[in-house]
Amino acid sequence: MEVKIGVQHAPREIVLESGQSAEEVERVVSEALAGKSQLLSLVDEHGRKVLVPADRLAYVEIGEPAPRKVGFGAL
């Protein structure tokens, strides 16, 4: 699952591949925004943990990873 996180006052977004389902990611984001936790905490496919302060979240985009294209060809 590809997750993009926009952080206020940061020039770039955070992009990670998570092994969690879309429902799990949405639940964690909702809890952070509702004030149940101070941090948004997600784990990527390599086991690295990403922590973002909940009050600094600008947006979270949840979607399937785009398939990578290989080779040279006209589309």
Side-chain angles (χ1 to χ4, degrees):
M1 180 66 51
E2 183 180 70
V3 181
K4 294 181 183 179
I5 304 169
V7 181
Q8 295 177 10
H9 309 295
R12 295 177 53 190
E13 62 189 7
I14 300 169
V15 180
L16 65 114
E17 291 288 332
S18 176
Q20 298 170 301
S21 69
E23 292 79 21
E24 289 175 310
V25 173
E26 185 176 354
R27 180 184 52 79
V28 171
V29 171
S30 296
E31 288 175 358
L33 292 175
K36 293 182 181 177
S37 66
Q38 298 292 325
L39 295 172
L40 170 63
S41 175
L42 296 172
V43 179
D44 72 0
E45 289 182 335
H46 303 287
R48 294 178 290 217
K49 190 176 274 193
V50 176
L51 301 170
V52 180
D55 62 342
R56 298 286 183 216
L57 288 174
Y59 65 89
V60 177
E61 184 178 312
I62 304 168
E64 293 295 321
R68 299 183 192 267
K69 296 184 179 171
V70 178
F72 301 97
L75 297 177

